[in-house]
Amino acid sequence: MPLSFEFTARKLVYGGEALGHYQGRVVLVPRALPGERLEVEEALTAKGVIHARPLRILEAAPERVEPPCPYFGRCGGCQYQHLRPELQSAAKRETLRETLRRIGHIGTATWDAEIPVYAAHPWNYRNQAQLKVALQPDGKVRLGFFEAESHRLVPIDACLILSPRLNAILAELRRPDWSERLAGVAPFSEIELLADDRDEEVSITLRGSFDRARAFDDQGWSGLAEECLRLLPGVTSVAIERGRAFRVFGKPALSYAVGDFRYQVSHGSFFQASRFLLPELVTAATSGGVDAAPANRDALALDLFAGVGLFTLPLARGFGQVIAVESNPRSAADLAANAQAHGLSNVRAVRQSAFDFLRRFARAEPDLAVLDPPRAGVGMPALKLLAGVRPQRIHYVSCHPPTLARDLAYLVERGYRLESVELFDFFPQTFHIESLARLTVT
Ligand SMILES: C[S@@+](CC[C@H](N)C(=O)[O-])C[C@H]1O[C@@H](n2cnc3c(N)ncnc32)[C@H](O)[C@@H]1O
């Protein structure tokens, strides 16, 4: 018999749960709000922390709203639909500040400025989706998203945070004839969609654990790809991904415009997943200091973790030279092509890990280093090398506050001063926090 008890939520924590206590132990409960009393049931206890599920709300917070999505609570995509969007941003700001304080020891003594929040439109903002595919015992294919912390599929008809175009494609793929097409060709496990900035053209990547012996030029693949191009609204490029190889049909890549620049994004390359706030993030991450002086011939900017060059191209306008480093071969190829397509001869695109690049980098004191690592953060080995190179300013774009806090603590210890932290609420309804920290050398 699972333990059930009364729970009072104290605060929201990174991950989306509300934290409280029961008999001296920490309790985490999803879909609860600070100040609320709930009856909850223990789901799992790990490392002394009770993870409980809400059974009944005994006293609701005034901030609570009815979640508009019928899948909320089952689908693992959203955590905050029960909280008004403007309060979600405020809660994330508090979470970010608390994380910087707790893990980074960045608090009142070193830095206590406001964290400005840029809020995106709360719905239909995602330009990307990773639809999960499950083949049922009846031979039919179901599409949807996973439950939180699980590989159990929640079949989905529509998703309120996906762009209209992606929802139109999802609606089409839910038709029975598509179930037959997908089931007939291969055991796909995921369909990835990326829509362009106008939400008109879409690229699709189909992936799964395919039989390695199966020829890449098999008629089945091309037949399915042709049908995707012909029947799915807006789809202009289709790829079958097998291991590290891609077979592409239709246009070779998607073209995505942000500000003055247009980026080629190939299948398998990284691109930001929100349609809104991208120009604001790019401006904030690439501006300040030398950019005021027109093309200072000596000024050098490093763009580590550069992707397809989202920040590289605007940086090349304000700096004499930009060295952009990206380890993923497909993103790195797009990066080089994007710089070339814009005639930016002052960009050097380097296909390497940030660590390997910094190990051999001889020039001291670049004017700016833009860092935009994955969730794991920059990490100590590369960060030590970077601190030795001593960029005059660092702009750190982060999608994961705990690793940001860890890395900032190290940079502060190595003589950097934290100037500002801004929060870009790219992903309303979810717990995700995207932020930009700016530092200068002291
Ligand atoms: C969060 S994305 C940012 C990309 C780009 N700045 C943007 O905003 O579109 C992180 C990028 O870092 C790349 N990456 C991951 N580990 C890396 C490493 N150790 N060295 C260099 N690049 C890496 C990934 O392939 C990805 O393109």
Side-chain angles (χ1 to χ4, degrees):
M1 194 57 185
L3 171 72
S4 65
F5 54 95
E6 196 181 304
F7 166 82
T8 301
R10 300 284 171 214
K11 63 173 183 179
L12 293 173
V13 295
Y14 186 59
E17 296 98 341
L19 181 146
H21 294 92
Y22 177 69
Q23 295 184 343
R25 281 198 289 171
V26 170
V27 183
L28 293 174
V29 178
R31 304 182 298 286
L33 294 177
E36 287 188 332
R37 276 192 318 115
L38 299 97
E39 185 186 341
V40 301
E41 176 183 77
E42 179 184 20
L44 163 92
T45 295
K47 295 185 185 158
V49 176
I50 303 174
H51 297 260
R53 62 176 76 89
L55 294 177
R56 207 154 54 95
I57 300 173
L58 304 172
E59 197 179 322
E63 297 83 15
R64 179 173 279 277
V65 290
E66 193 55 37
C69 172
Y71 311 109
F72 183 65
R74 277 192 299 136
C75 170
C78 292
Q79 295 76 35
Y80 283 150
Q81 288 195 15
H82 59 306
L83 178 61
R84 290 211 305 274
E86 65 280 14
L87 300 178
Q88 296 177 21
S89 297
K92 289 184 192 184
R93 175 167 48 198
E94 281 324 298
T95 304
L96 178 57
R97 184 181 286 286
E98 211 249 336
T99 308
L100 293 176
R101 205 174 279 154
R102 188 170 43 83
I103 300 177
H105 313 295
I106 293 162
T108 23
T110 42
W111 181 81
D112 203 22
E114 269 301 295
I115 301 180
V117 175
Y118 298 81
H121 188 276
W123 304 105
N124 297 117
Y125 59 80
R126 280 193 69 93
N127 57 17
Q128 279 176 47
Q130 280 94 32
L131 296 173
K132 307 299 177 200
V133 184
L135 187 61
Q136 305 297 298
D138 61 5
K140 291 203 170 69
V141 159
R142 301 256 188 287
L143 293 176
F145 297 117
F146 285 153
E147 287 178 12
E149 312 284 324
S150 129
H151 282 182
R152 262 195 311 270
L153 185 107
V154 181
I156 299 278
D157 283 329
C159 167
L160 297 177
I161 61 172
L162 289 189
S163 78
R165 174 67 73 186
L166 297 191
N167 268 312
I169 293 176
L170 172 58
E172 177 67 24
L173 285 171
R174 298 271 296 150
R175 289 161 50 113
D177 43 337
W178 275 99
S179 176
E180 275 161 40
R181 280 188 193 106
L182 291 169
V185 176
F188 294 112
S189 57
E190 189 170 273
I191 301 178
E192 183 170 286
L193 310 171
L194 170 64
D196 70 1
D197 52 290
R198 291 163 306 151
D199 200 30
E200 284 176 6
E201 294 199 5
V202 175
S203 70
I204 289 197
T205 307
L206 300 149
R207 57 178 66 104
S209 47
F210 307 136
D211 179 0
R212 294 222 149 250
R214 184 167 175 176
F216 230 3
D217 57 3
D218 189 304
Q219 287 299 310
W221 302 127
S222 44
L224 178 65
E226 294 306 328
E227 284 177 319
C228 288
L229 288 166
R230 195 160 45 82
L231 301 172
L232 296 177
V235 170
T236 54
S237 181
V238 180
I240 313 287
E241 182 179 336
R242 196 183 62 179
R244 290 197 190 140
F246 291 77
R247 182 164 179 212
V248 182
F249 302 82
K251 289 189 182 175
L254 196 76
S255 172
Y256 201 112
V258 182
D260 293 341
F261 298 98
R262 186 161 276 289
Y263 301 85
Q264 159 185 318
V265 186
S266 298
H267 298 269
S269 288
F270 174 89
F271 202 74
Q272 299 285 349
S274 176
R275 304 160 64 206
F276 306 125
L277 293 183
L278 273 187
E280 287 84 349
L281 175 68
V282 170
T283 302
T286 59
S287 69
V290 253
D291 60 324
N296 177 347
R297 286 169 68 87
D298 297 325
L300 168 65
L302 302 181
D303 183 8
L304 307 181
F305 310 92
V308 302
L310 183 65
F311 303 137
T312 312
L313 307 193
L315 284 170
R317 286 257 176 93
F319 289 79
Q321 201 197 350
V322 182
I323 305 179
V325 180
E326 166 60 43
S327 62
N328 176 307
R330 300 187 69 84
S331 294
D334 283 344
L335 167 66
N338 288 330
Q340 198 181 26
H342 288 83
L344 297 168
S345 55
N346 58 339
V347 171
R348 182 151 76 87
V350 179
R351 190 187 119 185
Q352 235 174 13
S353 75
F355 177 77
D356 284 343
F357 166 76
L358 288 166
R359 237 166 15 129
R360 294 188 197 92
F361 182 63
R363 213 171 126 184
E365 302 197 351
D367 297 85
L368 172 67
V370 177
L371 315 174
D372 185 8
R375 288 168 62 83
V378 177
M380 255 346 110
L383 215 50
K384 281 184 182 163
L385 294 173
L386 184 75
V389 164
R390 212 141 188 84
Q392 296 301 290
R393 290 179 295 134
I394 294 177
H395 291 178
Y396 192 136
V397 180
S398 158
C399 58
H400 194 53
T403 52
L404 171 70
R406 178 202 66 196
D407 290 353
L408 289 184
Y410 178 74
L411 289 170
V412 168
E413 197 186 297
R414 291 291 303 266
Y416 281 87
R417 183 163 50 84
L418 181 59
E419 281 202 321
S420 64
V421 178
E422 291 158 275
L423 195 155
F424 292 81
D425 197 3
F426 269 3
F427 304 110
Q429 323 306 335
T430 79
F431 72 89
H432 295 291
I433 297 178
E434 187 87 12
S435 63
L436 166 67
R438 292 190 233 214
L439 303 103
T440 46
V441 77
T442 52

